[in-house]
Amino acid sequence: MTSVPQDEKSYSRYNQYGENPMAPVGPIGLIQLAGSVDFTEKVNYYLNARRSEYSQEAFVTKHPGFLRNDYRIEVDNPRFSSGEGKAVVKNTVRGHDLFIISDVMNPSIEYKMYGSMNRMSPDDHYQDLKRVILACSGKARRINVIMPFLYESRQHKRTSRESLDCAFALEELYNLGVANIITFDAHDERVANAIPLSGFESLPPTYQIIKEMYRQIPDLSFSKGKFMVVSPDEGGISRAMYFASILGVPLGTFYKRRDYTTIVNGRNPIVAHEFLGDSVEGMDILIVDDMISSGDSMLDIAKAMKERGARKVYCAVTFGLFTEGIEHFNKAYEEGVFDKVFATNCIYRRPELLEAPWYADCNMAKFVALLIDAINHDASLSNLINPTEKIKKLLKEKGDM
């Protein structure tokens, strides 16, 4: 355990990270970009609650700005009528430890361009992020970016003569002076190799998903030998393997047979899903993936599980994009194809999705607040990044271990 200087012992106590909250890098400044206002508001609430738990008057007096009701710093990203934009920071950021929260997958934000309304794409959100970084550079003590859905993360490797968008974006942020980049469940964590000298963390929401499953499913049990975790493809096997290992349940996987002679919507269409694993007769199934995009593959796999005799089918993803709407999910739910979809609140969710009886939101705002607090102290993130101990404790409380 880290030794504590005598003059700091009276100001703070050891916290859950196993580290002493020593002097912060600087006052925290939360910058919410247009697509992340609601999520940042929740993070601000939990951050204030967290610091109120352990901060003492002497410590707060010694570090001005350490405990505040509102850590948010107002910024504006106005657009000219031509569609060009800029960033305006409306409060001081000098000496602050900035955390810029950017949801690049929020399609609900619009701006006027040549007299017509235009929805913001991931490219637009990313450009606004860079504009804010440029507006703060040279004034802030440190700049950190929290980007739950990593920009262009699905374009992470080169299979033909094509661009390497994600790697270049990370290099660009590093060159702009960003010290830490925090994301969740990156499509391929090896993309961090593009910026080996920068802080990059891809964090799993496993604990929050399992916790929400216990809340939403009254008869949930992993200890009766009637539960299986399934990966929808070979690329996500490591994610599903962690779920299965920590829960102590069997693992199955699908692999996708594709038609490589044609390209539809930028990808080779799936011919069939082939299952590898034990019998699922009478089992409850948890299909684990990083995202639901259109959702067609997820529903195909859920149908395949039901056809093989599965009792209930649950889906757990980090990001519920639902790019083609939710009508086909409503229909599948009514037909009994699946029972519940669990996804995090890290990104924008359509109002109709939040109201759907089959959808469950997994709150990540408290976890992000703990991350920000730890990073601000330059404390170890090991216990936060690795949720194994928390999951084991949860399973023991529920009698599943």
Side-chain angles (χ1 to χ4, degrees), residues 28-30 44 47-48 51 65-68 70-73:
I28 287 178
L30 297 181
N44 181 72
L47 182 59
N48 176 266
R51 292 203 155 179
F66 178 80
L67 181 62
R68 308 197 303 275
D70 197 344
Y71 295 91
R72 289 169 292 182
I73 293 176

Side-chain angles (χ1 to χ4, degrees), residues 75-184:
V75 298
D76 191 17
N77 290 102
R79 297 273 176 168
F80 300 102
S81 58
S82 62
E84 298 169 291
K86 65 177 180 178
V88 180
V89 181
K90 297 187 175 181
N91 304 97
T92 181
V93 297
R94 192 172 299 279
H96 280 64
D97 192 15
L98 296 184
F99 292 84
I100 307 173
I101 302 179
S102 174
D103 177 10
V104 298
M105 300 306 293
N106 191 334
S108 69
I109 310 300
E110 298 180 333
Y111 63 90
K112 186 170 286 188
M113 177 177 174
Y114 286 94
S116 299
M117 296 307 295
N118 188 44
R119 285 183 182 270
M120 287 186 68
S121 69
D123 292 341
D124 291 319
H125 285 293
Y126 179 62
Q127 285 299 118
D128 277 354
L129 169 62
K130 291 192 292 183
R131 290 182 178 113
V132 171
I133 293 171
L134 289 170
C136 299
S137 294
K139 289 84 178 175
R141 179 72 57 83
R142 186 172 63 179
I143 298 177
N144 312 275
V145 170
I146 299 176
M147 189 186 294
F149 189 104
L150 187 60
Y151 174 71
E152 290 288 358
S153 57
R154 284 188 281 184
Q155 188 53 35
H156 60 97
K157 62 182 179 180
R158 178 174 288 157
T159 55
S160 60
R161 193 177 297 277
E162 57 189 28
S163 56
L164 287 172
D165 299 54
C166 188
F168 180 75
L170 291 177
E171 288 183 347
E172 196 171 23
L173 292 177
Y174 173 71
N175 291 331
L176 285 173
V178 174
N180 295 293
I181 299 173
I182 308 295
T183 190
F184 290 93

Side-chain angles (χ1 to χ4, degrees), residues 6 44 61 70 78 91 127 135 143 162 178 182 187 201-202 250 261 275 279 291 295 309 387 400-401:
Q6 189 64 33
N44 181 72
T61 303
D70 197 344
N91 304 97
Q127 285 299 118
I143 298 177
E162 57 189 28
V178 174
I182 308 295
H187 198 65
E201 301 291 350
S202 175
T261 63
F275 181 65
S279 171
M291 72 181 77
D400 281 333
M401 192 173 181

